């Protein structure tokens, strides 16, 4: 433990937000990072607990608390406090494949479980992680680690989101020849086309791609496996295949008048278009622009928040976020004690921006869309909303609460319904009741519909787990790599997690 009294001597300080009026003018990062001196103080607040819940990933009351990667948090906080950057980096990347992603976008399950958090503000582990990895890149410590020997085995990873990248990275380090297939024009999955640039600049994903390429991973983009390339072909060419195709099947909206209405889009399509525009792709009339529009977002979660922040950057006239569920409490309820995941209201960057720009919180709770109103050309121009109450866990409309809102762009951020069917059909996979690819008990090897002699197919990430978090996708990718490595070499799990 670096400083015995660090947690008493220093107050928590977060990375500092760029002021709203400045940051909404562009798609640059949201924060300024603290300098080394302050960062080391923040690391000194870590108490190096005997039982570090931060790295435990325990399930409490149905939700996980603590890091799914089991990051060695007290160790690298201590090394950071001591100024041993090389040591801190070595301990960090031992368990964490891409700290530059999680250090930016992870909701920090570790901090919610931090023991200091039971009496004070938790250690700023999320920002410490980002500091270590960004300093490492800047100081030239992140050099390509090219495997000394190759196994002669070939692995295909389908999908280049965080799960696919994590699996590819680890298997390459074990000496297998890995090719990642991606149907989009850029790699990254939702890291690239989902999470907006202001939260995760795309040069960060490109930087990792370059490093992985130098280490020997091949990337094939704009190749849709199951359509452009047959499943049989990929199974024939490779010794193992890991499917990391995500869970992008979006939940729709049923409201009167939606049929054929223009100006209604799924959130991920909107965010993808926004990112491609920022990156300079010419989308022509397919660009979805919130500029000068009244924007309504259905869904009060994180995806909805990203739509709020992006609409504001595009210059929307107003932005409203509708949420069916009741407003969460500001503080933990009595039945939701530390170290459980806190079920409290979070006001994220986009909502903060809306409050500052438009003078009020964009969220309206316990409300949904009942009807879409179109102009004569078929474009959406307004919506009718209604309040709901939950009876027996089902939303029921409250009479007399109908309200009309101007709306030229309706974005649906109402969650996801699991894996897209064409990949599971192409690979003859079985899906469970929530459209997740079924794998054999306690492992990532898939179950196939018909009895087949091919046991070389594995699955990981949202495709197996359902829509989740980047940190879980990375943990899944590492787990699948572990199993594939053992499978290829003819023994059990061999890659250290
Ligand atoms: C808008 C949005 C914001 C989010 N923000 C956060 C956040 O801030 N923090 C956080 O922790 N989590 C966040 N998440 C969740 C997180 O992004 C996902 O849980 C994570 O990306 C899942 O990783 P994955 O690798 O399983 O799948 P994905 O990231 O979905 O990647 C799957 C990839 O597979 C490709 N693919 C699919 N089928 C094929 C095929 N047949 N052939 C070739 N390629 C194929 C897809 O094009 C895609 O690139 C967010 C999600 C969304 C939608």
């Amino acid at each position: 433990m670096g400083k015995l009294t660090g947690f008493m001597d220093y107050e928590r300080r977060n990375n500092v937000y760029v002021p709203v009026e400045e940051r909404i003018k562009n798609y640059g990062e949201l924060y300024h990072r603290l300098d080394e001196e302050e960062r080391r103080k923040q690391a000194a607040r870590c108490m190096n607990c005997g039982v570090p819940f931060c790295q435990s990933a325990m399930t409490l009351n149905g939700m996980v608390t603590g890091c799914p990667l089991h990051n060695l948090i007290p160790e690298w906080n201590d090394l950071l406090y001591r100024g041993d950057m090389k040591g801190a980096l070595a301990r960090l990347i031992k368990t964490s494949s891409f700290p530059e992603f999680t250090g930016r976008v992870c909701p920090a399950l570790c901090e919610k479980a931090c023991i200091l958090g039971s009496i004070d503000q938790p250690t700023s582990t999320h920002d410490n992680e980002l500091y270590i990895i960004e300093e490492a890149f800047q100081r030239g410590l992140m050099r390509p680690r090219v495997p000394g020997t190759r196994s002669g085995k070939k692995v295909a990873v389908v999908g280049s989101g965080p799960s696919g990248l994590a699996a590819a990275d680890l298997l390459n380090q074990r000496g297998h020849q890995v090719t990642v297939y991606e149907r989009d024009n850029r790699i990254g999955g939702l890291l690239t086309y989902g999470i907006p640039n202001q939260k995760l600049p795309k040069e960060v994903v490109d930087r990792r791609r370059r490093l992985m390429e130098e280490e020997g991973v091949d990337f094939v983009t704009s190749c849709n496996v199951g359509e452009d390339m047959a499943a049989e072909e990929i199974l024939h060419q490779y010794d193992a295949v890991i499917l990391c195709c995500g869970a992008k099947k979006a939940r729709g909206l049923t409201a009167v008048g939606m049929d054929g209405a223009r100006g209604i889009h799924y959130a991920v399509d909107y965010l993808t278009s926004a990112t491609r525009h920022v990156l300079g792709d010419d989308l022509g009339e397919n660009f979805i622009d919130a500029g000068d529009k009244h924007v309504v977002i259905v869904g009060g979660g994180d995806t909805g928040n990203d739509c709020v922040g992006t609409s504001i950057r595009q210059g929307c006239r107003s932005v409203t976020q509708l949420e069916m569920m009741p407003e969460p409490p500001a503080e933990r309820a009595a039945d939701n004690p530390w170290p459980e995941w806190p079920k409290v209201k979070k006001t994220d960057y986009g909502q903060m921006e809306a409050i500052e720009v438009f003078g009020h919180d964009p969220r309206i709770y316990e409300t949904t869309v009942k009807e879409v109103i179109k102009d004569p050309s078929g474009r959406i121009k307004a919506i009718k909303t209604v309040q709901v109450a939950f009876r027996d866990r089902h939303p029921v409309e409250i009479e007399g609460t109908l309200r009309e809102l101007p709306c030229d762009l309706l974005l649906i951020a109402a969650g996801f319904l699991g894996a897209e069917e064409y990949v599971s059909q192409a690979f003859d996979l079985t899906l469970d009741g929530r459209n997740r690819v079924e794998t054999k008990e306690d492992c990532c090897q898939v179950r196939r519909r018909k009895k087949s002699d091919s046991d070389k197919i594995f699955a990981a990430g949202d495709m197996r787990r359902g829509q989740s978090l980047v940190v879980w996708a990375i943990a899944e990718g590492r787990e699948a790599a572990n199993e594939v490595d053992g499978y290829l070499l003819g023994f059990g799990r061999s890659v250290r997690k």
Side-chain angles (χ1 to χ4, degrees):
M1 177 170 176
K3 188 159 198 258
L4 271 175
T5 56
F7 67 100
M8 295 190 288
D9 298 343
Y10 308 123
E11 284 192 354
R12 178 181 166 117
R13 280 191 60 199
N14 295 328
N15 284 340
V16 182
Y17 267 119
V18 177
V20 169
E21 72 272 16
E22 213 177 291
R23 71 179 193 244
I24 60 169
K25 289 182 193 146
N26 57 54
Y27 297 84
E29 267 202 275
L30 297 169
Y31 302 97
H32 295 300
R33 283 190 277 284
L34 302 178
D35 64 17
E36 180 168 354
E37 190 186 342
E38 186 56 43
R39 186 50 59 204
R40 286 176 61 185
K41 284 185 190 164
Q42 293 303 307
R45 294 185 74 244
C46 180
M47 302 191 300
N48 203 356
C49 306
V51 181
F53 289 168
C54 56
Q55 62 184 57
S56 66
M58 285 179 297
T59 304
L60 293 175
N61 213 355
M63 294 185 84
V64 171
T65 187
C67 179
L69 291 168
H70 305 294
N71 281 348
L72 306 168
I73 293 163
E75 291 186 37
W76 45 257
N77 269 332
D78 179 43
L79 291 158
L80 175 59
Y81 163 68
R82 292 172 193 280
D84 179 356
M85 281 301 300
K86 265 192 183 168
L89 176 69
R91 299 309 281 165
L92 174 59
I93 61 175
K94 188 161 180 60
T95 58
S96 176
S97 306
F98 311 119
E100 70 274 31
F101 303 154
T102 42
R104 286 181 167 87
V105 305
C106 191
L109 285 67
C110 53
E111 293 189 11
K112 311 305 181 284
C114 171
I115 294 178
L116 183 52
S118 64
I119 50 151
D120 194 354
Q121 289 292 312
T123 307
S124 54
T125 298
H126 175 272
D127 291 356
N128 293 356
E129 175 184 31
L130 185 58
Y131 181 83
I132 295 169
I133 190 69
E134 285 305 323
E135 278 296 301
F137 271 110
Q138 258 178 32
R139 297 183 194 189
L141 300 176
M142 288 297 290
R143 282 191 284 271
R145 299 159 301 161
V146 181
T149 51
R150 287 286 175 188
S151 67
K153 302 285 184 187
K154 286 165 60 185
V155 181
V157 174
V158 183
S160 67
S163 61
L165 293 180
D169 179 48
L170 214 46
L171 284 167
N172 179 57
Q173 289 305 317
R174 289 292 297 165
H176 308 303
Q177 190 58 55
V178 184
T179 305
V180 180
Y181 290 90
E182 171 54 55
R183 68 182 172 192
D184 279 329
N185 63 340
R186 294 184 174 88
I187 70 146
L190 290 167
L191 296 170
T192 298
Y193 292 142
I195 301 174
N197 203 66
Q198 60 267 21
K199 215 162 145 189
L200 178 58
K202 304 314 159 199
E203 57 261 26
V204 173
V205 183
D206 290 345
R207 182 178 65 185
R208 180 56 73 167
R209 175 184 175 154
R210 285 194 298 275
L211 188 63
M212 288 176 69
E213 280 175 334
E214 284 174 58
E215 292 173 339
V217 177
D218 293 321
F219 290 95
V220 180
T221 50
S222 303
C223 178
N224 194 343
V225 174
E227 287 191 356
D228 304 332
M229 187 181 189
E232 291 71 31
E233 194 183 334
I234 213 164
L235 288 169
H236 178 69
Q237 279 186 28
Y238 292 91
D239 298 298
V241 176
I242 311 182
L243 300 174
C244 299
C245 301
K248 255 179 100 177
K249 194 174 163 190
R251 178 178 282 116
L253 177 71
T254 44
V256 178
M258 280 189 62
D259 282 355
R262 287 181 294 120
I264 304 178
H265 301 275
Y266 285 116
V268 171
D269 295 338
Y270 167 67
L271 293 167
T272 300
S273 139
T275 297
R276 292 190 65 173
H277 184 69
V278 170
L279 296 178
D281 291 359
D282 181 9
L283 300 176
E285 60 186 25
N286 291 326
F287 174 49
I288 308 169
D289 189 3
D292 209 27
K293 296 205 171 78
H294 293 290
V295 180
V296 177
I297 299 150
V298 181
D302 294 345
T303 302
N305 172 69
D306 286 332
C307 293
V308 173
T310 304
S311 302
I312 289 177
R313 279 163 183 72
Q314 291 181 346
C316 63
R317 282 172 79 182
S318 70
V319 61
T320 306
Q321 218 183 336
L322 302 180
E323 171 56 54
M324 280 239 268
M325 301 305 288
E327 184 172 351
E331 304 283 338
R332 283 176 183 275
D335 63 352
N336 176 218
W338 174 92
E340 286 180 13
W341 175 263
K343 296 173 197 154
V344 294
K345 182 174 175 181
K346 180 174 100 177
T347 299
D348 211 332
Y349 76 95
Q351 288 132 3
M352 286 178 205
E353 291 163 2
I355 291 168
E356 202 158 316
V357 173
F358 298 111
H360 58 87
D361 194 315
R363 288 167 288 188
I364 303 177
Y365 290 93
E366 295 174 272
T367 298
T368 191
V369 181
K370 190 173 168 71
E371 190 180 335
V372 162
I373 302 166
K374 294 172 272 194
D375 67 15
S377 78
R379 259 208 91 81
I380 185 168
K381 65 168 192 178
I383 54 166
K384 285 189 181 162
T385 66
V386 68
Q387 281 179 21
V388 293
F390 279 83
R391 307 235 165 85
D392 294 331
R393 310 178 97 198
H394 291 289
V396 180
E397 281 180 25
I398 302 176
E399 262 186 57
T401 58
L402 212 57
R403 183 181 160 195
E404 191 168 312
L405 285 179
C407 174
D408 321 294
L409 179 62
L410 183 65
L411 301 174
I412 305 170
F416 296 86
L417 295 171
E420 291 159 284
E421 268 106 14
Y422 74 96
V423 183
S424 50
Q425 278 164 9
F427 283 91
D428 191 29
L429 311 177
T430 59
L431 300 179
D432 70 8
R434 288 169 58 193
N435 266 346
R436 298 174 299 193
V437 168
E438 281 190 313
T439 49
K440 293 178 185 163
E441 204 177 344
D442 203 22
C443 75
C444 301
Q445 202 169 38
V446 303
R447 289 182 203 278
R448 301 187 78 187
R449 255 196 293 263
K450 293 182 217 112
K451 264 255 174 274
S452 144
D453 58 359
S454 179
D455 54 359
K456 58 166 83 163
I457 311 176
F458 297 76
D462 280 4
M463 190 180 197
R464 188 178 94 104
R465 190 181 172 81
Q467 251 296 326
S468 186
L469 294 173
V470 169
V471 68
W472 273 114
I474 295 172
E476 288 257 326
R478 291 174 69 92
E479 179 62 32
N482 177 26
E483 284 179 29
V484 168
D485 185 50
Y487 167 83
L488 292 175
L489 300 180
F491 45 82
R493 303 173 185 201
S494 63
V495 176
R496 283 182 64 89
K497 281 202 277 172

